[in-house]
Amino acid sequence: MTRKSLIQREKKKQRLEQKYKLIRQSLKKEIREVSSLDEKWEIHKKLQSLPRNSAPTRLHRRCSSTGRPKANYRDFGLSGHILREKAHACLLPGVTKSSW
């Protein structure tokens, strides 16, 4: 199980990302539309002035049941060993264990 402080930190990053999402998108759209290099630099400065943790690349996927940050499957939101346990227990619809 992951420390609660790390999980809370990830949740805070998610809230920041949602808060600044529209601002970030509009600034990036302006950068694409502007032709002058000086204007692009000014817009880049505005973009850099946003909080660092509001960038979507700073987010990290975690297992929804254990909080493990590695070996996550996007389709299920689970880490590998939890996915395997739930598949063996038939708790994931549509997932079958191959037998050969």
Side-chain angles (χ1 to χ4, degrees), residues 1 62-68 72 76-79 82 86:
M1 198 67 185
R62 289 187 174 269
C63 177
S64 59
S65 61
T66 61
R68 188 171 195 267
N72 279 317
F76 302 101
L78 299 171
S79 60
I82 299 295
K86 289 193 177 196

Side-chain angles (χ1 to χ4, degrees), residues 6-7 30 52 71-72 86 94-95:
L6 294 177
I7 294 173
E30 284 181 42
R52 184 177 282 180
N72 279 317
K86 289 193 177 196
V95 176

Side-chain angles (χ1 to χ4, degrees), residues 16 18 31 37 44 84 91 97:
L16 272 174
Q18 288 298 319
I31 289 173
L37 191 58
H44 263 294
R84 183 179 168 92
L91 296 175
K97 170 100 170 66

Side-chain angles (χ1 to χ4, degrees), residues 33-95:
E33 293 173 353
V34 173
S35 60
S36 170
L37 191 58
D38 291 331
E39 291 176 7
K40 284 186 180 186
W41 285 345
E42 291 300 320
I43 297 170
H44 263 294
K45 285 181 184 177
K46 289 179 188 176
L47 193 61
Q48 288 177 350
S49 68
L50 296 177
R52 184 177 282 180
N53 282 335
S54 69
T57 56
R58 308 265 303 186
L59 294 176
H60 205 282
R61 287 189 317 273
R62 289 187 174 269
C63 177
S64 59
S65 61
T66 61
R68 188 171 195 267
K70 297 181 180 178
N72 279 317
Y73 288 85
R74 290 182 187 194
D75 297 336
F76 302 101
L78 299 171
S79 60
H81 70 283
I82 299 295
L83 177 72
R84 183 179 168 92
E85 287 174 5
K86 289 193 177 196
H88 280 296
C90 298
L91 296 175
L92 296 175
V95 176

